[in-house]
Amino acid sequence: MEGTTPESTVDKIKEQIAENPILLYMKGSPKLPSCGFSAQAVQALMSCGEQFAYVDILQNPDIRAELPKYANWPTFPQLWVEGELVGGCDIIIEMFQQNELQPLIKEAAEKQKSEE
Ligand SMILES: N[C@@H](CCC(=O)N[C@@H](CS)C(=O)NCC(=O)O)C(=O)O
Ligand code: FES
């Protein structure tokens, strides 16, 4: 993309994280994930029953390059809730199995609804 700098990409990332209380950076889309790790994360997240935003990092190579540095997390998927990195696929699945994911997601979704 013309005029894209690492700084402008980080600004874009910060904006996405600030504006979307439940945000999944993934490969592909929730309907058509391009990787098994992203597919697993989507499945766990969808089973929480709330809407979430996503960014397909395969369509956004600048974000793919900069987010791991910004997040200090090397891989995708990355789940961000209320401005904070929750983790990748393993953590999402682990939290889901421990029944910790749903309350986190529900709370973020409730907060957003009450602000609308
Ligand atoms: N164990 C990881 C699996 C994710 C993973 O290994 N992702 C790799 C392959 S999809 C990745 O994002 N590599 C960097 C890249 O493709 O930009 C997790 O818990 O999320
Ligand atoms: S794209 Fe190959 S492991 Fe995710």
Side-chain angles (χ1 to χ4, degrees):
M1 207 192 297
E2 210 179 288
T4 300
T5 63
E7 291 74 21
S8 71
T9 300
V10 169
D11 284 346
K12 184 162 63 178
I13 289 168
K14 285 181 183 166
E15 216 173 273
Q16 291 169 341
I17 290 169
E19 283 174 3
N20 298 285
I22 308 166
L23 174 61
L24 186 68
Y25 289 94
M26 64 176 291
K27 293 186 177 181
S29 66
K31 278 190 179 154
L32 202 61
S34 299
C35 169
F37 296 124
S38 287
Q40 284 184 45
V42 161
Q43 246 192 348
L45 204 48
M46 293 223 285
S47 68
C48 295
E50 298 294 342
Q51 287 198 323
F52 59 92
Y54 77 95
V55 174
D56 179 359
I57 53 114
L58 298 179
Q59 308 279 351
N60 294 276
D62 58 329
I63 293 177
R64 185 181 187 176
E66 293 305 321
L67 180 57
K69 292 181 247 172
Y70 175 71
N72 205 12
W73 188 268
T75 53
F76 300 95
Q78 289 190 18
L79 175 62
W80 289 75
V81 175
E82 288 182 15
E84 285 187 29
L85 175 65
V86 175
C89 173
D90 293 344
I91 288 176
I92 296 167
I93 300 298
E94 170 87 16
M95 289 181 72
F96 176 66
Q97 287 169 349
Q98 305 288 324
N99 292 320
E100 290 167 7
L101 187 63
Q102 196 174 25
L104 180 77
I105 296 302
K106 289 274 177 207
E107 200 174 306
E110 291 304 321
K111 211 178 274 184
Q112 186 183 32
K113 282 174 199 160
S114 70
E115 281 167 13
E116 275 169 8

